Amino acid sequence: MHGTVLARLLASAMLLSLGGCLLGPDYVRPAVDVPATYRFAQGEAASIANTAWWQQFQDPVLDQLISTALLENRDVKVAAARVDEFRGQFVTTRSGLFPQVSAGADASRQRVSQSAGVPIPNGINPVYNQFDASVSVAWEIDLFGKVRRQTEAARANLLASEEGRRATILTLVSAVASAYINLRDLDRQLEIAQETVTSRDESVRVFTARFKGGEVSQMELAQSQSEYEAAKATVPQIEAQIGQQENALSVLIGRNPGAILRGREVSALGTPQIPGGLPSELLERRPDVLQAEQALISENALIGAARALYFPSISLTGLFGSVSTQFSSLFTGPARVWSFAGTLAQPIFTAGNISGQVHQAEARQQEALYTYEKAIQVAFQEVEDALISVQKTHEQLDAQNNQVEALRTYARLARLRYEGGYTSYIEVLDAERSLFNAQLGYTQTQGAVLTSYVNLYKAMGGGWVLDAEKMTVPQPAPAPAPAPQTPAAPEPVARSASPALAQPMAMEAK
């Protein structure tokens, strides 16, 4: 009977709690100034932001590096653990909406003093046992929505952590692609430097022989040697950059620093398409913007939780159990015990404690609002920057290509004029020096063009982040493929920064 009464009381309290008022402002997405179009939008843009865009580079090695990074990168693992942490916080906070039920049992054996002020009657054993078992219930009725607002905030924090994980994935994929492109760009610069060193070394040998034969002056020989040493000095500089880039890329894919596989040359990498979309879509496609909005939702809900502190808190407690000196009679009617209690607490004077908490919550909500608005503005800026970078680096690359061709012609004609005795060797040196610098600059711009596409896809976000997120879960290994009937193409090979640190480089996979 008493159990039925307890159940009815709890049911009534639950209905009262669910029907109680909910203090604080309900969240409404703030109105933001969204441009109708991008300033530097491209006419050939395609709606492909939801695809695995890095596959458009057509380099299986890059695809494998990104897949490995999504599985092994430590930042992604940290972000995943953070999601689990906030999921636990959400469950803990939500538990306050429900009664907390606990059970207990106790058994003891005691002896009463026979020398105390109250004598024990004859025939009564001073040693006795006691057994008790009980079920207790405690519940704070959420009449004014404090726990519900806290739960709303905890849920928003959980969603924010999930968006934070996706932002980490977005940054990781972009970082791996950019690092790989930069690595292949440095590889090409190293090839140009080594070719230049070989060419100038041959010139030094020729000039040394001519100097011994009295055909050229010592000044011309010294000029040739100077240019050779200048080109030679660039080789270890580029090799150092390659080694450092390999180390950085190794850490990105979750491995210790070491050599990185190579695939296509930088000039052979495919050119991705320009993704299309409207500025308003960034509010739903960028994980960092969504994360900032969830943070705003959380702080908005906590205003209500703080305001609820002004109102009474109502708690119910109940206990049902039995106590007996004999275990055999523990669960009989005469051993039964029960109690019900209710508590109401109303703050009267707190010396500004509650109002201070409300002001803090409102100020944090404003901070989150401004952070959200800034995140949107930064998103627009990054897309515009990436769009103009794609456009202008292409124009720069075309101009540098024409410059390289012109300088190549200039260097050839300058050497012919020198051999014919029409000009000094200084003109040859100037032409070759300009050609070397232009070739390095052209290669660097090639990498900048490809990197601008990476930055554009990163800035626009999109459904590809969700596809990449699925790749963070290890997939079952596929069944082994049958042995090929024809000779296979050479596999991409590992390559070190310097021949002095490793075996000679193997042929790259084209």
Side-chain angles (χ1 to χ4, degrees):
M1 176 180 178
H2 297 294
T4 304
V5 172
L6 178 60
R8 290 177 178 176
L9 181 61
L10 291 176
S12 300
M14 183 172 291
L15 291 175
L16 181 64
S17 175
L18 294 176
C21 59
L22 200 60
L23 300 176
D26 292 328
Y27 176 75
V28 178
R29 174 177 284 182
V32 293
D33 183 16
V34 179
T37 58
Y38 295 114
R39 293 175 57 216
F40 301 96
Q42 304 287 323
E44 66 273 18
S47 298
I48 54 175
N50 294 335
T51 62
W53 53 266
W54 57 90
Q55 296 178 356
Q56 297 180 59
F57 288 114
Q58 302 174 10
D59 192 330
V61 173
L62 175 59
D63 296 343
Q64 183 58 45
L65 288 173
I66 290 177
S67 298
T68 303
L70 290 171
L71 287 173
E72 303 296 339
N73 180 266
R74 297 302 185 267
D75 290 332
V76 173
K77 293 179 182 294
V78 168
R82 188 174 295 116
V83 172
D84 292 337
E85 174 190 354
F86 279 98
R87 182 176 290 110
Q89 290 184 8
F90 168 68
V91 173
T92 300
T93 304
R94 186 182 59 177
S95 67
L97 294 170
F98 304 95
Q100 306 298 303
V101 182
S102 60
D106 184 45
S108 63
R109 183 174 177 83
Q110 305 179 47
R111 185 183 189 283
V112 178
S113 174
Q114 294 177 296
S115 301
V118 180
I120 298 177
N122 294 330
I124 300 299
N125 190 349
V127 178
Y128 69 96
N129 301 323
Q130 180 170 310
F131 303 91
D132 63 78
S134 62
V135 175
S136 60
V137 180
W139 188 24
E140 180 180 348
I141 302 176
D142 190 34
L143 189 60
F144 299 99
K146 181 182 73 172
V147 179
R148 278 174 286 166
R149 287 300 192 190
Q150 290 173 339
T151 302
E152 180 183 347
R155 180 178 182 276
N157 289 334
L158 171 59
L159 295 177
S161 69
E162 292 177 344
E163 294 300 338
R165 179 172 181 263
R166 295 186 182 106
T168 301
I169 291 173
L170 179 146
T171 301
L172 173 64
V173 172
S174 303
V176 171
S178 297
Y180 182 77
I181 291 170
N182 187 44
L183 181 61
R184 300 305 283 131
D185 180 24
L186 289 170
D187 288 340
R188 178 55 187 152
Q189 292 182 45
L190 180 60
E191 291 174 1
I192 293 173
Q194 290 172 335
E195 290 169 359
T196 303
V197 169
T198 301
S199 174
R200 291 182 179 178
D201 180 52
E202 179 63 25
S203 296
V204 169
R205 286 198 295 268
V206 171
F207 270 73
T208 300
R210 287 183 176 183
F211 172 72
K212 292 180 179 179
E215 299 180 22
V216 299
S217 67
Q218 187 175 6
M219 184 183 71
E220 291 174 316
L221 174 60
Q223 289 173 335
S224 176
Q225 292 172 333
S226 174
E227 291 303 308
Y228 165 72
E229 296 297 339
K232 187 177 180 181
T234 63
V235 172
Q237 179 183 359
I238 298 174
E239 288 176 340
Q241 295 176 10
I242 289 175
Q244 293 166 355
Q245 188 66 77
E246 285 183 315
N247 293 340
L249 190 49
S250 296
V251 173
L252 283 175
I253 64 176
R255 296 177 180 173
N256 292 328
I260 295 294
L261 294 177
R262 282 8 180 229
R264 290 175 174 263
E265 293 182 351
V266 66
S267 59
L269 292 174
T271 302
Q273 292 181 275
I274 297 175
L278 298 175
S280 59
E281 295 175 354
L282 281 186
L283 304 184
E284 304 296 340
R285 289 165 58 167
R286 290 260 305 211
D288 58 334
V289 173
L290 295 173
Q291 183 181 18
E293 183 179 18
Q294 291 300 328
L296 174 59
I297 294 173
S298 174
E299 298 299 341
N300 188 80
L302 290 177
I303 294 177
R307 291 179 181 175
L309 297 175
Y310 282 118
F311 297 88
S313 61
I314 302 174
S315 300
L316 298 179
T317 58
L319 182 142
F320 181 81
S322 58
V323 179
S324 175
T325 58
Q326 300 292 330
F327 184 77
S328 59
S329 59
L330 178 61
F331 298 104
T332 61
R336 187 170 301 163
V337 296
W338 57 266
S339 67
F340 301 110
T343 303
L344 184 147
Q346 169 64 55
I348 297 177
F349 176 73
T350 62
N353 182 292
I354 296 177
S355 63
Q357 294 186 56
V358 172
H359 290 158
Q360 290 179 49
E362 291 173 342
R364 286 194 294 265
Q365 189 266 355
Q366 288 296 299
E367 292 176 16
L369 172 61
Y370 298 141
T371 301
Y372 172 62
E373 292 175 342
K374 181 180 178 181
I376 295 174
Q377 291 178 337
V378 171
F380 293 150
Q381 176 195 351
E382 290 180 352
V383 173
E384 293 285 4
D385 290 347
L387 284 170
I388 194 172
S389 177
V390 168
Q391 177 181 343
K392 297 306 178 182
T393 52
H394 270 292
E395 295 176 4
Q396 180 183 357
L397 185 66
D398 291 339
Q400 286 181 315
N401 180 60
N402 296 334
Q403 181 190 27
V404 168
E405 293 302 322
L407 286 172
R408 187 175 283 115
T409 301
Y410 172 40
R412 178 175 57 82
L413 295 177
R415 182 165 289 276
L416 290 176
R417 284 170 55 83
Y418 169 73
E419 295 293 342
Y422 296 105
T423 186
S424 68
Y425 191 63
I426 294 178
E427 184 176 355
V428 176
L429 294 178
D430 179 69
E432 292 182 344
R433 186 186 307 115
S434 298
L435 175 60
F436 178 49
N437 293 332
Q439 286 176 319
L440 293 179
Y442 176 77
T443 300
Q444 292 169 355
T445 304
Q446 275 187 316
V449 168
L450 298 175
T451 302
S452 66
Y453 284 100
V454 175
N455 293 334
L456 180 57
Y457 276 94
K458 177 185 177 183
M460 284 194 166
W464 68 265
V465 182
L466 299 179
D467 293 336
E469 184 180 25
K470 297 175 184 177
M471 297 171 64
T472 61
V473 180
Q475 302 297 321
Q485 300 300 318
T486 57
E491 293 290 335
V493 297
R495 177 172 174 176
S496 181
S498 171
L501 302 178
Q503 296 297 325
M505 302 175 184
M507 180 178 297
E508 297 175 347
K510 304 297 183 184

mmCIF file of all heavy atoms in Angstrom, residues 420-440:
data_model
loop_
_atom_site.group_PDB
_atom_site.id
_atom_site.type_symbol
_atom_site.label_atom_id
_atom_site.label_comp_id
_atom_site.label_asym_id
_atom_site.label_seq_id
_atom_site.Cartn_x
_atom_site.Cartn_y
_atom_site.Cartn_z
ATOM 1 N N GLY A 420 80.808 33.756 -79.486
ATOM 2 C CA GLY A 420 81.195 34.455 -80.705
ATOM 3 C C GLY A 420 82.037 35.689 -80.458
ATOM 4 O O GLY A 420 82.438 36.361 -81.417
ATOM 5 N N GLY A 421 82.270 35.991 -79.182
ATOM 6 C CA GLY A 421 83.120 37.119 -78.846
ATOM 7 C C GLY A 421 82.428 38.461 -78.894
ATOM 8 O O GLY A 421 83.092 39.505 -78.932
ATOM 9 N N TYR A 422 81.096 38.464 -78.867
ATOM 10 C CA TYR A 422 80.360 39.721 -78.953
ATOM 11 C C TYR A 422 80.018 40.325 -77.592
ATOM 12 O O TYR A 422 79.555 41.471 -77.527
ATOM 13 C CB TYR A 422 79.047 39.517 -79.738
ATOM 14 C CG TYR A 422 79.273 39.116 -81.172
ATOM 15 C CD1 TYR A 422 79.072 37.806 -81.577
ATOM 16 C CD2 TYR A 422 79.694 40.060 -82.113
ATOM 17 C CE1 TYR A 422 79.280 37.429 -82.904
ATOM 18 C CE2 TYR A 422 79.913 39.689 -83.430
ATOM 19 C CZ TYR A 422 79.699 38.381 -83.817
ATOM 20 O OH TYR A 422 79.908 38.013 -85.110
ATOM 21 N N THR A 423 80.155 39.580 -76.520
ATOM 22 C CA THR A 423 79.801 40.094 -75.200
ATOM 23 C C THR A 423 80.682 39.423 -74.157
ATOM 24 O O THR A 423 81.377 38.428 -74.442
ATOM 25 C CB THR A 423 78.316 39.825 -74.886
ATOM 26 O OG1 THR A 423 77.973 40.464 -73.654
ATOM 27 C CG2 THR A 423 78.051 38.338 -74.772
ATOM 28 N N SER A 424 80.622 39.938 -72.940
ATOM 29 C CA SER A 424 81.415 39.360 -71.850
ATOM 30 C C SER A 424 80.649 38.217 -71.187
ATOM 31 O O SER A 424 79.439 38.048 -71.391
ATOM 32 C CB SER A 424 81.737 40.440 -70.806
ATOM 33 O OG SER A 424 80.545 40.837 -70.140
ATOM 34 N N TYR A 425 81.368 37.481 -70.367
ATOM 35 C CA TYR A 425 80.752 36.340 -69.667
ATOM 36 C C TYR A 425 79.764 36.807 -68.601
ATOM 37 O O TYR A 425 78.916 36.032 -68.161
ATOM 38 C CB TYR A 425 81.843 35.472 -69.040
ATOM 39 C CG TYR A 425 81.326 34.149 -68.524
ATOM 40 C CD1 TYR A 425 80.770 33.221 -69.388
ATOM 41 C CD2 TYR A 425 81.380 33.855 -67.171
ATOM 42 C CE1 TYR A 425 80.291 32.013 -68.927
ATOM 43 C CE2 TYR A 425 80.910 32.653 -66.689
ATOM 44 C CZ TYR A 425 80.353 31.731 -67.572
ATOM 45 O OH TYR A 425 79.880 30.527 -67.101
ATOM 46 N N ILE A 426 79.857 38.054 -68.192
ATOM 47 C CA ILE A 426 78.919 38.569 -67.187
ATOM 48 C C ILE A 426 77.480 38.479 -67.686
ATOM 49 O O ILE A 426 76.561 38.169 -66.933
ATOM 50 C CB ILE A 426 79.277 40.028 -66.839
ATOM 51 C CG1 ILE A 426 80.636 40.083 -66.137
ATOM 52 C CG2 ILE A 426 78.209 40.655 -65.952
ATOM 53 C CD1 ILE A 426 81.090 41.489 -65.789
ATOM 54 N N GLU A 427 77.278 38.731 -68.978
ATOM 55 C CA GLU A 427 75.927 38.633 -69.540
ATOM 56 C C GLU A 427 75.405 37.199 -69.467
ATOM 57 O O GLU A 427 74.230 36.961 -69.182
ATOM 58 C CB GLU A 427 75.931 39.125 -70.985
ATOM 59 C CG GLU A 427 74.533 39.148 -71.597
ATOM 60 C CD GLU A 427 74.525 39.738 -72.992
ATOM 61 O OE1 GLU A 427 75.587 40.225 -73.447
ATOM 62 O OE2 GLU A 427 73.463 39.719 -73.640
ATOM 63 N N VAL A 428 76.277 36.227 -69.705
ATOM 64 C CA VAL A 428 75.878 34.813 -69.601
ATOM 65 C C VAL A 428 75.496 34.486 -68.159
ATOM 66 O O VAL A 428 74.474 33.836 -67.894
ATOM 67 C CB VAL A 428 77.011 33.896 -70.088
ATOM 68 C CG1 VAL A 428 76.631 32.424 -69.895
ATOM 69 C CG2 VAL A 428 77.336 34.175 -71.543
ATOM 70 N N LEU A 429 76.322 34.920 -67.224
ATOM 71 C CA LEU A 429 76.039 34.643 -65.821
ATOM 72 C C LEU A 429 74.720 35.274 -65.380
ATOM 73 O O LEU A 429 73.924 34.669 -64.654
ATOM 74 C CB LEU A 429 77.187 35.170 -64.944
ATOM 75 C CG LEU A 429 78.538 34.485 -65.108
ATOM 76 C CD1 LEU A 429 79.573 35.151 -64.206
ATOM 77 C CD2 LEU A 429 78.436 33.002 -64.784
ATOM 78 N N ASP A 430 74.467 36.494 -65.811
ATOM 79 C CA ASP A 430 73.220 37.169 -65.452
ATOM 80 C C ASP A 430 72.015 36.428 -66.014
ATOM 81 O O ASP A 430 70.991 36.265 -65.332
ATOM 82 C CB ASP A 430 73.264 38.602 -65.985
ATOM 83 C CG ASP A 430 71.978 39.362 -65.666
ATOM 84 O OD1 ASP A 430 71.754 39.656 -64.464
ATOM 85 O OD2 ASP A 430 71.211 39.643 -66.593
ATOM 86 N N ALA A 431 72.124 35.968 -67.261
ATOM 87 C CA ALA A 431 71.009 35.246 -67.883
ATOM 88 C C ALA A 431 70.746 33.921 -67.161
ATOM 89 O O ALA A 431 69.589 33.568 -66.887
ATOM 90 C CB ALA A 431 71.317 35.001 -69.354
ATOM 91 N N GLU A 432 71.811 33.178 -66.853
ATOM 92 C CA GLU A 432 71.623 31.883 -66.193
ATOM 93 C C GLU A 432 71.118 32.048 -64.762
ATOM 94 O O GLU A 432 70.315 31.246 -64.275
ATOM 95 C CB GLU A 432 72.937 31.115 -66.222
ATOM 96 C CG GLU A 432 73.350 30.672 -67.618
ATOM 97 C CD GLU A 432 74.628 29.862 -67.616
ATOM 98 O OE1 GLU A 432 75.349 29.891 -66.586
ATOM 99 O OE2 GLU A 432 74.923 29.212 -68.646
ATOM 100 N N ARG A 433 71.608 33.094 -64.082
ATOM 101 C CA ARG A 433 71.144 33.337 -62.721
ATOM 102 C C ARG A 433 69.653 33.684 -62.723
ATOM 103 O O ARG A 433 68.883 33.190 -61.894
ATOM 104 C CB ARG A 433 71.953 34.471 -62.097
ATOM 105 C CG ARG A 433 71.639 34.717 -60.628
ATOM 106 C CD ARG A 433 72.371 35.939 -60.103
ATOM 107 N NE ARG A 433 73.799 35.868 -60.359
ATOM 108 C CZ ARG A 433 74.456 36.708 -61.160
ATOM 109 N NH1 ARG A 433 73.808 37.677 -61.790
ATOM 110 N NH2 ARG A 433 75.760 36.595 -61.339
ATOM 111 N N SER A 434 69.236 34.517 -63.649
ATOM 112 C CA SER A 434 67.824 34.892 -63.739
ATOM 113 C C SER A 434 66.952 33.687 -64.086
ATOM 114 O O SER A 434 65.846 33.526 -63.562
ATOM 115 C CB SER A 434 67.646 35.998 -64.800
ATOM 116 O OG SER A 434 68.369 37.161 -64.441
ATOM 117 N N LEU A 435 67.458 32.824 -64.992
ATOM 118 C CA LEU A 435 66.691 31.631 -65.366
ATOM 119 C C LEU A 435 66.530 30.700 -64.169
ATOM 120 O O LEU A 435 65.438 30.160 -63.932
ATOM 121 C CB LEU A 435 67.399 30.905 -66.512
ATOM 122 C CG LEU A 435 66.775 29.566 -66.941
ATOM 123 C CD1 LEU A 435 65.337 29.765 -67.407
ATOM 124 C CD2 LEU A 435 67.618 28.909 -68.027
ATOM 125 N N PHE A 436 67.579 30.507 -63.389
ATOM 126 C CA PHE A 436 67.520 29.622 -62.215
ATOM 127 C C PHE A 436 66.489 30.125 -61.208
ATOM 128 O O PHE A 436 65.632 29.380 -60.723
ATOM 129 C CB PHE A 436 68.907 29.555 -61.587
ATOM 130 C CG PHE A 436 68.980 28.715 -60.338
ATOM 131 C CD1 PHE A 436 68.439 27.438 -60.290
ATOM 132 C CD2 PHE A 436 69.577 29.214 -59.186
ATOM 133 C CE1 PHE A 436 68.503 26.663 -59.137
ATOM 134 C CE2 PHE A 436 69.647 28.454 -58.029
ATOM 135 C CZ PHE A 436 69.106 27.180 -58.002
ATOM 136 N N ASN A 437 66.535 31.412 -60.918
ATOM 137 C CA ASN A 437 65.580 31.980 -59.963
ATOM 138 C C ASN A 437 64.148 31.904 -60.490
ATOM 139 O O ASN A 437 63.200 31.650 -59.737
ATOM 140 C CB ASN A 437 65.953 33.426 -59.642
ATOM 141 C CG ASN A 437 67.258 33.531 -58.876
ATOM 142 O OD1 ASN A 437 67.629 32.616 -58.140
ATOM 143 N ND2 ASN A 437 67.963 34.642 -59.044
ATOM 144 N N ALA A 438 63.986 32.133 -61.781
ATOM 145 C CA ALA A 438 62.640 32.082 -62.373
ATOM 146 C C ALA A 438 62.083 30.666 -62.344
ATOM 147 O O ALA A 438 60.880 30.463 -62.116
ATOM 148 C CB ALA A 438 62.675 32.610 -63.805
ATOM 149 N N GLN A 439 62.948 29.675 -62.590
ATOM 150 C CA GLN A 439 62.486 28.284 -62.536
ATOM 151 C C GLN A 439 62.033 27.913 -61.119
ATOM 152 O O GLN A 439 60.996 27.254 -60.940
ATOM 153 C CB GLN A 439 63.603 27.352 -62.988
ATOM 154 C CG GLN A 439 63.854 27.381 -64.484
ATOM 155 C CD GLN A 439 65.037 26.512 -64.883
ATOM 156 O OE1 GLN A 439 66.077 26.497 -64.203
ATOM 157 N NE2 GLN A 439 64.890 25.783 -65.980
ATOM 158 N N LEU A 440 62.792 28.333 -60.115
ATOM 159 C CA LEU A 440 62.383 28.070 -58.737
ATOM 160 C C LEU A 440 61.076 28.785 -58.407
ATOM 161 O O LEU A 440 60.182 28.214 -57.772
ATOM 162 C CB LEU A 440 63.487 28.513 -57.762
ATOM 163 C CG LEU A 440 64.801 27.734 -57.787
ATOM 164 C CD1 LEU A 440 65.786 28.327 -56.791
ATOM 165 C CD2 LEU A 440 64.564 26.255 -57.482
#
